[in-house]
Amino acid sequence: TMEGLVQRIDVAGGSATPVDIDPLLKQLREAVTGGAIELPADFTKGKASPATPVKAAEKPAAAEVEVVQPNIIPAGKEDSDAEVFRLTVTQQMEIIRAGLSTLRKDGSHKDSIDAIYRCLTAVKNACGFVGQNEIKVYAERTAGIVDQGRKQGIDFGLMVDLLGQEVGIIDDMITKALEEGKIGEAGNAESAPPAREAKVAAEKPVEKQPEQPAAPKAQQPAQPKPPVAAKPAEPARAAKPAQPGKPGGSASEAHKSSSTIRVDHERLDHLMNLIGELIINRNRYALIARSLEGREEDINVAEVAQSLSETTYAMARISDDLQDTIMKVRMVPVSSVFSRFPRLVRDLSKKSGKEVDLIMEGEETELDKSVVEVIGDPLVHLIRNSVDHGIEAEETRVSAGKPPKGRVTLRAFHKGNSVAIEIEDDGKGIDPAKMREVAIKKGIISPEEAAQLDDREAIELIFAPGFSSAEKITDISGRGVGMDVVRTNIKSLKGSVSTYSEIGKGTRFTLSLPLTLAIIDALMVNVSGQMYAIPLDAVSETTKIETVRLTDVKGRKAVTLRGEVLGIVELSEMLGLQRNENLPEVLSVVVIHDNERRLGLVVDELLERQEIVIKPLGAYLGDLKGISGATIMGDGSVILILDPHEIYIMSTSKSAQGIGPSNDQAKQMAIGATK
């Protein structure tokens, strides 16, 4: 019958031939009499009530949950943005509330979950159209919770109360914005659509509702009254922190990095066991404290001291195990970063016209999640550099006796207490003479400074800001940015980058990254009356050297230590602290290594090895050379942590003297680190 009606429509002419519908009505009445369909009373008058959807025969109540239907908001005079916005969001909120009511009966009702997500997205878009960004962000967060829950198959019966609170907050914020006349004031930040388009957005989710069985008329909620002065949003509710399941503190943070991490269940069980041991140990401390509160003559000092020592040792064991387990929980394989590079190399290969193979090794190597999220950009720059600058053109490679197809190797592996990531190519290598020439031409260094650089230091010029050896600027390279970003990003991770190159054979960049950014082993030293921490990973050895053994090499102090010429600098000079005019007869020296290079630091006193927690310095203190952070000691004092890589660079620079924090700056940094 419906096909017959459709065939009588002339699409081109825009007209329809009238048809006698009496036979159709007769069939429908017979169906109604048989109980198959329930029609509204006014259907036979030629129209159906918009507020009463037609429904098919329902299944038994035991087999299907009773779905709560939303109210249909009557349209008013939509002659303003505020009225269109009111109609849109009011209808969406009605559908959301009906969906939440259904989920209270059946937490797995998929249609209701999907409807709530669609409506929250519609509210978010509507708020964006009228410039209500605060409400938009809140609606987006709540939609994120729903979306995450439906993807993971969570029973929403457990989340209904939480979602109800979030929806209530959104409703209060919308009501307040309407009452204060803010809608339409701020303008449209996202090129608002016409009123008709907004109305369609409001009606879209409603079209899905007839698919659900309708509730009996007696259960239909009463039609809502026009919006009245509602109580404003409670400050505590509107400003409460993000719930644990939310994908981040703000919308922008949610897009920056993933907020979730997959954890092995066994690690979580081990954490629970450790927490149990921690509580037991805490109770032991409480018992010791109570025993000390008694009468003095009843206290056995030896027993209390032994009990306190045993409890402290147990606490040390538990805290070490807890730290190790938490580090493992935060570890993720570098394959999550490496996976993006095959396509990058294919694209670069096409753009540059070179055939290049990418070989990846050690993808299962694990790094701290916060480190993995940051190393992506440096690796992109290094791979682009290898393909564009390192790998030669095919004819050049063939004439040099190399395979026509270039090779770039990306590998990760553990090296001591850190992780190394190498990017190696079999290209033309880096020519130190050309590096000096380009650096002088671009004004990065003077000809006199270039003459004093050895080949390794000349190769390091590749990381200088503004340095580029490309003949012309392309969309791959030549803009003088990229390699300096690599060093900056790796430095922010408390890591280092080194370069090894052989002309005609290739180049290898090695990134050394800490396993974690939070806790490190450090050697404590005393310099000019102040205590400093040197990361133990960078310490080769500590030794005592007689002052008479020092010699001058190119204006710098050096000593021959076990057949190796070792440069010696005073750490107080590097940091701009007060120096001893007359050096003692025997010097306390800490030998640090920066990749394959070594340097001896003269300190006043060698102290103990200690595990320390790194604290950032704070942006207002600036980027102070030679200092990577601070730590707080057990007595509350603040100790600065030295950056061995920068100390080495400063020692080879003519401008080393006076660089670093003065005593006043050190005090400022100490104050900043405690805040």
Side-chain angles (χ1 to χ4, degrees):
T1 305
M2 294 304 296
E3 290 180 1
L5 293 172
V6 172
Q7 290 173 0
R8 292 176 176 271
I9 298 175
D10 180 9
V11 179
S15 61
T17 306
V19 63
D20 184 8
I21 63 170
D22 286 339
L24 176 60
L25 289 175
K26 183 178 180 182
Q27 292 178 14
L28 289 173
R29 289 192 187 96
E30 290 174 357
V32 171
T33 305
I37 300 176
E38 179 185 343
L39 293 179
D42 57 352
F43 185 85
T44 55
K45 297 178 183 179
K47 64 178 181 178
S49 170
T52 312
V54 178
K55 66 175 183 177
E58 294 183 359
K59 295 181 181 179
E64 186 172 354
V65 66
E66 188 176 26
V67 178
V68 178
Q69 293 294 324
N71 293 322
I72 305 300
I73 306 301
K77 294 182 179 180
E78 302 162 18
D79 55 354
S80 67
D81 289 344
E83 181 61 25
V84 172
F85 176 78
R86 184 199 66 79
L87 175 66
T88 300
V89 297
T90 306
Q91 183 64 73
Q92 304 307 315
M93 300 305 284
E94 282 296 324
I95 298 171
I96 291 171
R97 278 189 282 268
L100 290 174
S101 299
T102 303
L103 290 178
R104 285 189 174 89
K105 302 174 185 178
D106 178 9
S108 60
H109 193 267
K110 186 177 183 304
D111 288 342
S112 296
I113 296 169
D114 292 343
I116 291 173
Y117 174 70
R118 288 195 305 270
C119 292
L120 284 169
T121 304
V123 170
K124 177 200 76 171
N125 293 336
C127 292
F129 293 150
V130 296
Q132 294 299 310
N133 291 327
E134 184 181 358
I135 311 177
K136 174 188 172 184
V137 169
Y138 211 103
E140 186 175 18
R141 291 179 188 170
T142 311
I145 295 176
V146 177
D147 194 32
Q148 191 174 11
R150 68 175 184 167
K151 287 178 180 176
Q152 295 178 357
I154 294 174
D155 184 353
F156 273 75
L158 305 172
M159 298 175 58
V160 168
D161 291 337
L162 167 65
L163 290 175
Q165 292 176 6
E166 298 299 302
V167 170
I169 292 172
I170 295 171
D171 202 11
D172 288 346
M173 295 169 78
I174 290 171
T175 303
K176 187 175 181 181
L178 285 167
E179 288 175 353
E180 294 178 356
K182 292 181 179 178
I183 305 304
E185 273 185 6
N188 183 1
E190 301 179 16
S191 62
R196 184 183 301 173
E197 189 175 339
K199 181 180 178 182
V200 171
E203 295 173 349
K204 210 169 189 178
V206 185
E207 295 172 2
K208 296 285 183 183
Q209 295 301 323
E211 296 175 8
Q212 305 170 355
K217 289 183 180 179
Q219 295 179 353
Q220 292 282 356
Q223 291 289 339
K225 297 178 182 179
V228 294
K231 62 179 181 180
E234 299 171 23
R237 288 175 63 192
K240 73 177 185 175
Q243 298 291 339
K246 292 191 178 182
S250 67
S252 60
E253 289 175 3
H255 293 299
K256 284 182 182 176
S257 61
S258 171
S259 60
T260 59
I261 186 170
R262 298 175 70 92
V263 179
D264 186 356
H265 194 270
E266 291 181 1
R267 291 178 177 175
L268 292 179
D269 290 341
H270 188 53
L271 274 176
M272 285 301 298
N273 293 335
L274 289 174
I275 295 300
E277 291 186 44
L278 201 60
I279 292 172
I280 293 170
N281 224 49
R282 182 190 66 187
N283 295 338
R284 290 180 65 182
Y285 275 119
L287 287 173
I288 294 172
R290 278 202 294 271
S291 68
L292 291 172
E293 291 172 357
R295 291 183 302 175
E296 188 175 342
E297 58 270 18
D298 295 337
I299 298 173
N300 187 324
V301 176
E303 287 183 2
V304 171
Q306 182 179 354
S307 180
L308 189 60
S309 297
E310 291 174 356
T311 310
T312 303
Y313 289 143
M315 182 65 76
R317 177 185 59 79
I318 294 169
S319 62
D320 287 346
D321 203 351
L322 193 61
Q323 174 191 335
D324 186 55
T325 306
I326 290 293
M327 280 180 57
K328 288 179 180 176
V329 165
R330 289 180 57 87
M331 292 293 178
V332 294
V334 294
S335 57
S336 58
V337 179
F338 281 15
S339 59
R340 74 173 81 165
F341 295 127
R343 180 174 179 180
L344 173 67
V345 171
R346 285 197 302 270
D347 292 345
L348 293 174
S349 180
K350 288 179 183 177
K351 286 182 180 179
S352 62
K354 304 172 185 175
E355 289 290 328
V356 182
D357 276 340
L358 176 66
I359 301 169
M360 296 191 294
E361 301 171 1
E363 297 171 81
E364 71 284 352
T365 306
E366 290 188 326
L367 261 175
D368 190 280
K369 180 176 180 288
S370 56
V371 178
V372 168
E373 289 171 352
V374 180
I375 62 173
D377 286 344
L379 291 179
V380 167
H381 289 305
L382 289 171
I383 290 175
R384 290 168 71 97
N385 184 76
S386 293
V387 174
D388 192 42
H389 290 282
I391 303 297
E392 312 96 326
E394 184 176 335
E395 57 273 12
T396 307
R397 293 180 62 85
V398 172
S399 63
K402 294 183 178 181
K405 184 178 285 190
R407 186 179 73 249
V408 175
T409 304
L410 178 62
R411 67 172 67 91
F413 56 92
H414 287 279
K415 187 176 70 173
N417 289 327
S418 60
V419 170
I421 299 180
E422 290 184 350
I423 299 90
E424 186 175 7
D425 64 69
D426 64 344
K428 61 187 177 183
I430 301 175
D431 185 354
K434 185 179 180 183
M435 300 296 287
R436 294 187 187 94
E437 179 186 334
V438 173
I440 294 170
K441 183 179 178 182
K442 293 193 175 279
I444 295 173
I445 57 174
S446 65
E448 293 76 17
E449 291 173 324
Q452 291 191 357
L453 295 178
D454 60 24
D455 286 351
R456 174 175 292 191
E457 291 170 338
I459 291 174
E460 294 285 326
L461 288 170
I462 194 172
F463 295 107
F467 184 92
S468 175
S469 59
E471 300 294 335
K472 60 180 180 178
I473 295 177
T474 67
D475 58 350
I476 299 179
S477 66
R479 295 173 295 277
V481 294
M483 298 303 284
D484 60 321
V485 173
V486 171
R487 173 156 280 174
T488 302
N489 286 11
I490 298 303
K491 176 192 164 189
S492 70
L493 294 174
K494 311 296 184 293
S496 61
V497 54
S498 63
T499 309
Y500 172 80
S501 184
E502 198 170 341
I503 298 177
K505 292 189 177 180
T507 304
R508 181 175 68 246
F509 295 98
T510 303
L511 310 181
S512 290
L513 300 163
L515 283 173
T516 179
L517 301 180
I519 302 171
I520 63 170
D521 285 325
L523 174 67
M524 313 305 292
V525 297
N526 191 316
V527 182
S528 298
Q530 298 184 30
M531 192 183 295
Y532 290 90
I534 303 175
L536 205 59
D537 279 350
V539 177
S540 293
E541 60 180 299
T542 58
T543 186
K544 299 281 188 178
I545 296 176
E546 296 86 355
T547 307
V548 295
R549 292 176 55 191
L550 296 181
T551 58
D552 283 342
V553 179
K554 294 184 179 179
R556 301 173 186 173
K557 294 185 179 71
V559 68
T560 303
L561 184 64
R562 291 189 290 277
E564 176 193 5
V565 177
L566 181 69
I568 301 291
V569 297
E570 292 181 58
L571 193 52
S572 56
E573 179 183 356
M574 292 294 99
L575 299 175
L577 303 175
Q578 185 177 359
R579 298 173 56 193
N580 293 324
E581 294 299 329
N582 298 317
L583 292 175
E585 293 182 1
V586 179
L587 303 175
S588 298
V589 177
V590 179
V591 181
I592 63 170
H593 60 85
D594 180 37
N595 296 306
E596 298 174 5
R597 302 169 294 193
R598 285 160 47 101
L599 177 69
L601 302 177
V602 176
V603 299
D604 294 344
E605 187 180 2
L606 295 169
L607 304 175
E608 75 279 5
R609 165 193 173 277
Q610 194 165 334
E611 206 168 44
I612 60 174
V613 179
I614 300 176
K615 300 288 184 183
L617 291 175
Y620 70 94
L621 290 173
D623 185 15
L624 292 167
K625 291 185 178 180
I627 304 297
S628 63
T631 187
I632 301 174
M633 305 299 287
D635 61 358
S637 60
V638 177
I639 304 300
L640 299 177
I641 304 169
L642 303 180
D643 185 337
H645 178 68
E646 282 202 351
I647 292 291
Y648 183 89
I649 293 175
M650 290 161 61
S651 71
T652 60
S653 170
K654 291 278 188 183
S655 58
Q657 189 167 353
I659 297 177
S662 63
N663 288 329
D664 291 340
Q665 286 176 313
K667 290 177 183 176
Q668 283 185 338
M669 293 162 73
I671 294 169
T674 58
K675 290 186 177 179

